[in-house]
Amino acid sequence: MGVKVPKMRLVDYFCKTTDEWHVIKRVLFPLALKKNGEAEKVKVKKELNRAFFLVMELAPGKPLDNLTAREASTFALRSTLQVTCAEDVHEAEHANRAVRELGRLIALDILCNNWDRIPLLWPNEGNVHNIFFDVEDRSVYGIDNSMATIPKGPKRDAYIARLRKVLSNITAAPSVVCEEMAAVRQFLAACTAVPATVATCVQLQLGLLEGVCDAHLGLDFDAATSPVALKESVRNMIAMDWENVWANELKIIDTSFHDEVLAVFAEFYPKVDAILHEWPVSRSFVSYNDGLSSEYGHDAVKILVMQERNYGDLKCAQLLDDYLSQGWSGRKPDIVLYPENWMQGGAVSQSHTTIAAFSRVAAKHRAYVLLGTMVERGAGAHTYVTSVLLGPDGCIAGTYRKQRPGSGYDHGTTPGVFETPFGRIAVLICFDIENDDVLRATLDLRPFLVLNPVWISLPDTDAMSRTSKRTCAVARDAMRRKFEAFMGEQMVTLVRCDQPHFLGATGSSQLIGPYCSVLSPNNGECRFSASVDTSLRNFWQGSVPPRPRTAKEDNTGNRYIVHVLQPPTLYGGGRAPAAVEHVTVLGPKTVATISRSCADVRIFDVDTGDITATLRAPDTVTCVTAAAADTVLALCAVRPLLCTWFVRLSEGVLAEEARFCDLPEPAFSIIVTEAGLVLGHAGALSLWSAPAREHSARQLAYVALPQSRTPVKFLVSVSASSLLAVHEDGCVASVQISGGHLVCSAVSAAPPPLPTCVTWCCGALWVGCSDGALRRIVPDASSAAATVAIAAGGAAVTGLCAVSWCGPWLVVATAACEDNLLLVWVGESGSAEVRHVFRGHTAALTCLACGGGVLASGDLHGEVRVHEFVQNAVPVGLAAMLAGAT
């Protein structure tokens, strides 16, 4: 029901997996001996002999009668006519939320007949000490909660009659204080020493209605989860009724009482739902403790952008449900965004077919869902272009009417700014964001996030042509460049969701933040997610904000851009894409990938997200690299082959030449040197001439390695004529290339366990390992491998790249579910320190590559993210930290 109460749990004497019960007794027992009086000692000792201890969270805050005058003023709301500026709106929204939370608490008390708190249905003075107010969070906690069900009979009938009367009076005139609220009004005034205004009582009534709504929707029990089943499961746990706790406290709970109260809630639900939707003040948003951002707190929010067509309400709702239920290895999205013109028209209500279908998905996955826009038929002949925002409870959390619509539609007049557990978010529809007065009025309310559903029309008649796709990419880039400076100035993140290009739109979905932009996978149907830091919203967490990311005079400058690339899938179902096995940067705007157990090499155009070429090999490909600007090499291990393709990357067209050279034995790694190609085999290396259009590669030299007969998994270039070979078991060999020959010697350092990736940086070999650590090896006879711990959470290191951004850095990919791409500073002594985390991937990383000022990383979900650093290849936000590091 969204009511904040202290968390609690039972500590069991009979638990076999922990001795927590014994620890608690051992700590608390000496306190009993310090008590004055034998009676108190006996009482404490008796309590410590219980088979169960109840451990309860210490609720933050203080009772209402302990608030200062300023703190208590929260409960003295002003009317909307007295709220005249942005600061007033900000304060008023916090106060509205606190008072509505108090109303929700009353709804919970009604359901449980908890009479010892707020005197609404109960003829008493109330108990102020059972309400805590968290001054920092401006939220209300209910403590010392109890349940006193009423048996069937005249007393229950009288209780239900009082409840019906209260709900009838409130729903008949929600803006009028009902007569039953007089006692509550007197109670608040007495305990806070601040008069409870009419506005306070109205918001309290609305909060009560919200609690009724959430109880009706959220407490939809089945046979397994009903109160009857819960009570029966507790009874079955009891081996012995110690001091008649079951008989006197639990057995007497009559679950039919809850059923009767919930039946009244269901009876009034249609009226309540209509009131909460039509009421002019946006509903307060509840900070749900479970499911909403539980892994990260509220320091980040994950947004899922759905650039897709509407296949029908039920099918699209099922597609979203399936997508969110598919077993995310990382954090699920907190907000889902659909494009403009996505919903069917009609009146905005919970019974609208699209809203009803998606409300169940939103409630199931505890996510906000912005359903693009619809043509709303308002009162009279008015029509609006309206966005509907569903909350994590599945109810309509807010609506926004487009303020600058096209001809034939009425203009909205109210900014679409809403409070969420993550912070304040805003909605602007399409070209509302292009109108300075609308944009400024919205940003004056200080949102940290702006959701922008759009349909940007594509003038090209052939929406599937390559020319139109390039036009889409240009339009998307122009949009980004137009707003990136402004977002940096305002410290706001803009998320745009467009329709796919085959529907006549540009497919320009993207995220534009103060220091980073994330571009959609392509211009067609696609989905992509991005994370936003809700606290600092800086590229570099914890640093002083750097200079603006874009220079105003020419609208250029430091930019950090993420291109999201996804493999083609059967949209709306079908087999999940295979994990990315290997990624290679072929050029600043081109990458090549291979998927696990796949015989194809896909070449992506970074700008458009299109697969410009698919190179087919005779067998499963294990690794891929580039020998020249127009030459792609790959290895097949099952059938030993060296594959060579000649590709005109500028046109994205595969040339006719494709050569496949049989190898004498399987090869597991390949590197391009000035002398030719070096291939790693099981305990050996071979040197080959570089292939050309006129002839295939031929073997020049072969040498057995001295230390191990296991496969050479990695080859690392140290200089033009030397490299290091790393075996599967961790043994390392030094290799010199001279006169067409290979000369090998062992590196004496202790081999690291199960190496997963390697790179060369600062005169040392850095090895990522399956235990989540980095090993630093200096290829010298007197050296020993040094282990460097990084904050990877124990996840295996799956990728390593060395980059030079004003000093030596390592980019580290890990198999963690989230925050798995790390920027590590390498110190002079060989130390390694994580300085930044690139957010974005939703699954464990599998591979990493760099080159040409970009990084490319692939994950288990088949997604590749290309991180582009513009201007001197230095990510914005690193300037201050880089200067300090050097």
Side-chain angles (χ1 to χ4, degrees):
M1 292 178 61
V3 177
K4 290 186 174 181
V5 297
K7 297 176 182 178
M8 59 187 73
R9 60 186 176 87
L10 282 176
V11 178
D12 186 359
Y13 169 79
F14 300 100
C15 181
K16 304 298 184 183
T17 59
T18 176
D19 62 347
E20 191 176 10
W21 185 96
H22 302 277
V23 173
I24 292 175
K25 181 171 182 177
R26 185 166 62 248
V27 172
L28 295 182
F29 189 77
L31 299 179
L33 304 179
K34 297 180 181 180
K35 290 287 183 179
N36 296 324
E38 288 300 319
E40 289 190 48
K41 291 181 180 179
V42 172
K43 182 178 179 180
V44 174
K45 289 181 180 179
K46 181 179 178 181
E47 291 297 323
L48 291 178
N49 282 328
R50 290 179 180 268
F52 296 92
F53 294 147
L54 180 67
V55 180
M56 184 181 298
E57 176 190 23
L58 178 62
K62 48 188 176 181
L64 296 186
D65 59 350
N66 286 352
L67 301 179
T68 66
R70 179 175 177 80
E71 294 165 352
S73 66
T74 297
F75 298 95
L77 300 184
R78 293 172 289 173
S79 70
T80 54
L81 295 177
Q82 295 172 292
V83 180
T84 58
C85 64
E87 287 73 15
D88 285 343
V89 171
H90 184 61
E91 291 300 318
E93 286 182 352
H94 278 296
N96 284 354
R97 185 180 66 177
V99 174
R100 288 199 181 194
E101 286 181 356
L102 195 60
R104 285 172 174 268
L105 186 58
I106 295 176
L108 176 63
D109 288 342
I110 290 173
L111 181 60
C112 300
N113 187 29
N114 181 18
W115 52 268
D116 191 25
R117 184 147 40 211
I118 301 174
L120 179 63
L121 296 185
W122 308 273
N124 57 45
E125 296 180 354
N127 187 348
V128 66
H129 296 100
N130 284 347
I131 308 170
F132 266 35
F133 181 62
D134 185 350
V135 178
E136 295 295 327
D137 191 41
R138 302 280 194 90
S139 56
V140 174
Y141 280 79
I143 66 169
D144 288 352
N145 303 287
S146 64
M147 183 181 296
T149 57
I150 304 174
K152 292 182 178 179
K155 290 186 177 180
R156 183 190 289 187
D157 294 340
Y159 183 89
I160 296 298
R162 292 198 302 274
L163 172 59
R164 277 200 172 93
K165 182 181 178 183
V166 169
L167 293 181
S168 295
N169 290 340
I170 294 176
T171 54
S175 60
V176 178
V177 180
C178 70
E179 59 178 305
E180 294 82 5
M181 196 61 66
V184 179
R185 192 172 184 177
Q186 184 178 355
F187 165 75
L188 287 177
C191 64
T192 63
V194 174
T197 63
V198 172
T200 299
C201 295
V202 170
Q203 290 295 321
L204 198 63
Q205 292 177 168
L206 292 173
L208 171 59
L209 296 185
E210 286 181 338
V212 169
C213 181
D214 288 345
H216 170 67
L217 295 175
L219 301 180
D220 185 14
F221 302 112
D222 55 26
T225 61
S226 67
V228 174
L230 177 61
K231 183 178 177 181
E232 183 65 18
S233 66
V234 173
R235 189 188 68 79
N236 293 334
M237 294 169 57
I238 300 171
M240 180 182 68
D241 190 6
W242 186 78
E243 293 204 344
N244 296 318
V245 171
W246 165 259
N248 297 335
E249 302 291 339
L250 299 177
K251 185 178 180 180
I252 61 174
I253 295 176
D254 187 350
T255 56
S256 67
F257 172 79
H258 305 115
D259 296 336
E260 200 162 340
V261 173
L262 287 173
V264 176
F265 287 177
E267 174 187 334
F268 282 88
Y269 171 73
K271 292 182 179 179
V272 170
D273 181 57
I275 289 169
L276 293 178
H277 175 62
E278 297 297 337
W279 191 254
V281 180
S282 297
R283 293 183 60 194
S284 62
F285 287 80
V286 182
S287 300
Y288 294 89
N289 289 325
D290 297 322
L292 245 181
S293 195
S294 57
E295 212 173 321
Y296 288 85
H298 293 159
D299 67 329
V301 57
K302 177 176 282 188
I303 304 157
L304 175 62
V305 180
M306 306 288 285
Q307 183 173 291
E308 67 174 33
R309 70 185 301 174
N310 192 327
Y311 291 91
D313 300 326
L314 295 178
K315 182 174 181 180
C316 285
Q318 187 61 52
L319 289 175
L320 179 61
D321 185 22
D322 293 344
Y323 187 63
L324 297 179
S325 302
Q326 66 181 7
W328 288 65
S329 54
R331 176 184 178 185
K332 284 186 179 181
D334 304 300
I335 299 175
V336 181
L337 175 60
Y338 283 94
E340 190 180 15
N341 296 337
W342 197 79
M343 283 178 61
Q344 297 179 8
V348 177
S349 69
Q350 202 73 40
S351 60
H352 187 286
T353 55
T354 306
I355 296 174
F358 277 86
S359 63
R360 292 186 289 270
V361 181
K364 177 180 178 180
H365 297 283
R366 311 287 284 183
Y368 290 95
V369 180
L370 186 71
L371 292 170
T373 68
M374 63 179 289
V375 177
E376 177 192 359
R377 296 182 178 88
H382 294 289
T383 56
Y384 304 92
V385 178
T386 302
S387 282
V388 178
L389 179 67
L390 299 180
D393 55 1
C395 297
I396 297 173
T399 60
Y400 168 69
R401 290 169 173 169
K402 190 174 183 179
Q403 299 184 59
R404 297 293 185 271
S407 60
Y409 299 100
D410 293 285
H411 291 238
T413 58
T414 307
V417 178
F418 311 99
E419 201 74 40
T420 74
F422 314 105
R424 192 167 300 177
I425 66 174
V427 178
L428 287 171
I429 299 173
C430 201
F431 285 111
D432 275 358
I433 202 170
E434 305 276 356
N435 290 270
D436 188 67
D437 57 336
V438 176
L439 179 58
R440 292 286 180 180
T442 300
L443 296 184
D444 282 346
L445 298 178
R446 298 188 302 232
F448 83 94
L449 179 68
V450 176
L451 304 179
N452 183 218
V454 302
W455 185 329
I456 308 298
S457 298
L458 180 65
D460 197 327
T461 56
D462 182 7
M464 295 299 291
S465 70
R466 180 171 298 278
T467 302
S468 70
K469 291 183 179 181
R470 181 63 62 180
T471 302
C472 292
V474 172
R476 182 180 60 182
D477 187 64
M479 164 72 182
R480 175 177 55 77
R481 293 172 64 85
K482 178 176 181 178
F483 280 97
E484 61 185 8
F486 186 74
M487 294 299 130
E489 293 171 359
Q490 299 293 322
M491 293 302 292
V492 175
T493 297
L494 169 67
V495 184
R496 163 170 281 196
C497 183
D498 197 359
Q499 290 273 6
H501 71 269
F502 61 77
L503 294 179
T506 58
S508 61
S509 301
Q510 58 189 298
L511 177 148
I512 305 171
Y515 302 103
C516 173
S517 298
V518 181
L519 307 185
S520 61
N522 53 61
N523 308 117
E525 283 197 311
C526 61
R527 302 161 175 165
F528 74 98
S529 62
S531 295
V532 177
D533 188 338
T534 63
S535 54
L536 297 176
R537 297 185 291 281
N538 291 340
F539 173 83
W540 187 281
Q541 300 174 20
S543 70
V544 177
R547 69 179 181 82
R549 63 178 293 196
T550 302
K552 290 184 178 179
E553 58 272 12
D554 58 1
N555 202 29
T556 60
N558 280 348
R559 298 192 302 279
Y560 168 55
I561 307 167
V562 182
H563 304 264
V564 183
L565 309 178
Q566 294 174 337
T569 58
L570 180 60
Y571 205 77
R575 193 163 54 103
V580 180
E581 183 79 18
H582 194 82
V583 62
T584 296
V585 177
L586 302 180
K589 296 295 182 181
T590 312
V591 298
T593 70
I594 56 174
S595 299
R596 190 160 294 174
S597 303
C598 181
D600 294 341
V601 179
R602 295 192 176 107
I603 298 181
F604 282 91
D605 182 313
V606 171
D607 275 337
T608 64
D610 285 340
I611 296 179
T612 57
T614 299
L615 314 178
R616 303 191 183 280
D619 209 332
T620 301
V621 179
T622 57
C623 66
V624 60
T625 189
D630 61 348
T631 307
V632 179
L633 302 174
L635 293 177
C636 297
V638 178
R639 174 187 170 186
L641 282 175
L642 171 62
C643 308
T644 307
W645 295 277
F646 303 100
V647 182
R648 295 193 292 270
L649 296 179
S650 59
E651 301 175 19
V653 178
L654 177 63
E656 294 181 1
E657 292 84 0
R659 297 186 178 276
F660 305 109
C661 176
D662 287 303
L663 301 176
E665 58 182 293
F668 304 94
S669 53
I670 184 173
I671 191 171
V672 180
T673 69
E674 291 183 359
L677 310 180
V678 178
L679 276 57
H681 308 280
L685 298 177
S686 61
L687 177 64
W688 294 69
S689 64
R693 295 177 185 271
E694 296 77 18
H695 57 79
S696 299
R698 57 188 181 87
Q699 184 171 313
L700 303 177
Y702 182 91
V703 63
L705 296 175
Q707 268 186 305
S708 173
R709 298 300 300 169
T710 60
V712 175
K713 296 290 290 185
F714 309 103
L715 292 168
V716 184
S717 177
V718 176
S719 66
S721 60
S722 63
L723 54 90
L724 293 175
V726 182
H727 292 265
E728 189 176 58
D729 60 3
C731 291
V732 182
S734 176
V735 183
Q736 301 294 324
I737 307 175
S738 177
H741 298 283
L742 300 174
V743 180
C744 304
S745 61
V747 175
S748 62
L754 296 178
T756 54
C757 50
V758 298
T759 193
W760 180 263
C761 182
C762 296
L765 176 69
W766 292 82
V767 183
C769 301
S770 56
D771 59 359
L774 293 178
R775 263 76 178 187
R776 178 176 177 270
I777 301 175
V778 179
D780 186 283
S782 61
S783 67
T787 301
V788 180
I790 60 171
V797 177
T798 56
L800 272 177
C801 281
V803 292
S804 296
W805 292 325
C806 303
W809 296 86
L810 292 173
V811 181
V812 181
T814 76
C817 296
E818 294 282 351
D819 292 352
N820 43 22
L821 190 57
L822 314 176
L823 186 59
V824 178
W825 168 255
V826 179
E828 293 182 0
S829 62
S831 60
E833 176 187 355
V834 177
R835 293 289 186 86
H836 179 66
V837 176
F838 299 98
R839 281 177 169 161
H841 280 281
T842 59
L845 294 184
T846 55
C847 51
L848 184 68
C850 66
V854 301
L855 289 170
S857 50
D859 67 23
L860 278 174
H861 286 174
E863 185 174 272
V864 175
R865 295 203 170 212
V866 179
H867 307 254
E868 178 184 0
F869 306 105
V870 182
Q871 185 171 321
N872 300 326
V874 180
V876 66
L878 300 184
M881 298 302 293
L882 289 174
T886 53

